[in-house]
Amino acid sequence: MKQVSSDPIDPSLQAVELMAWGDSGYGTWAEPILARLEPASPDQPTDGDLACTGLIETGQFLTPSAAFTMPERVRAPQ
């Protein structure tokens, strides 16, 4: 595992680059995948335990379906 760094989408969070094995990377162009790390227990954020709450690949944030909620209104990009 590579060093924990700030999340490129939300700098207040942490991310770690997942290491590839057996080939040059995960994506078509061997882009790294980052795992977003957040406190495992939101009510006790200082206990030191972290959980992966999503993956960042090519600038897109992939959310686990169990944790995803649709916004009340979806707006078109401006």
Side-chain angles (χ1 to χ4, degrees), residues 7 9 16 18 33-36 52-64:
D7 184 313
I9 296 172
V16 64
L18 302 178
I33 291 182
L34 301 176
R36 178 179 280 178
C52 175
T53 59
L55 300 176
I56 301 166
E57 179 180 16
T58 316
Q60 299 179 37
F61 181 67
L62 310 170
T63 305

Side-chain angles (χ1 to χ4, degrees), residues 2-73:
K2 292 206 176 183
Q3 183 175 4
V4 175
S5 61
S6 84
D7 184 313
I9 296 172
D10 185 349
S12 69
L13 299 173
Q14 296 176 327
V16 64
E17 184 177 331
L18 302 178
M19 293 182 60
W21 62 94
D23 64 8
S24 58
Y26 292 101
T28 305
W29 303 100
E31 296 103 344
I33 291 182
L34 301 176
R36 178 179 280 178
L37 303 175
E38 295 186 55
S41 176
D43 53 328
Q44 296 181 4
T46 58
D47 69 359
D49 292 334
L50 297 173
C52 175
T53 59
L55 300 176
I56 301 166
E57 179 180 16
T58 316
Q60 299 179 37
F61 181 67
L62 310 170
T63 305
S65 59
F68 182 75
T69 55
M70 282 292 289
E72 188 173 312
R73 175 180 263 193

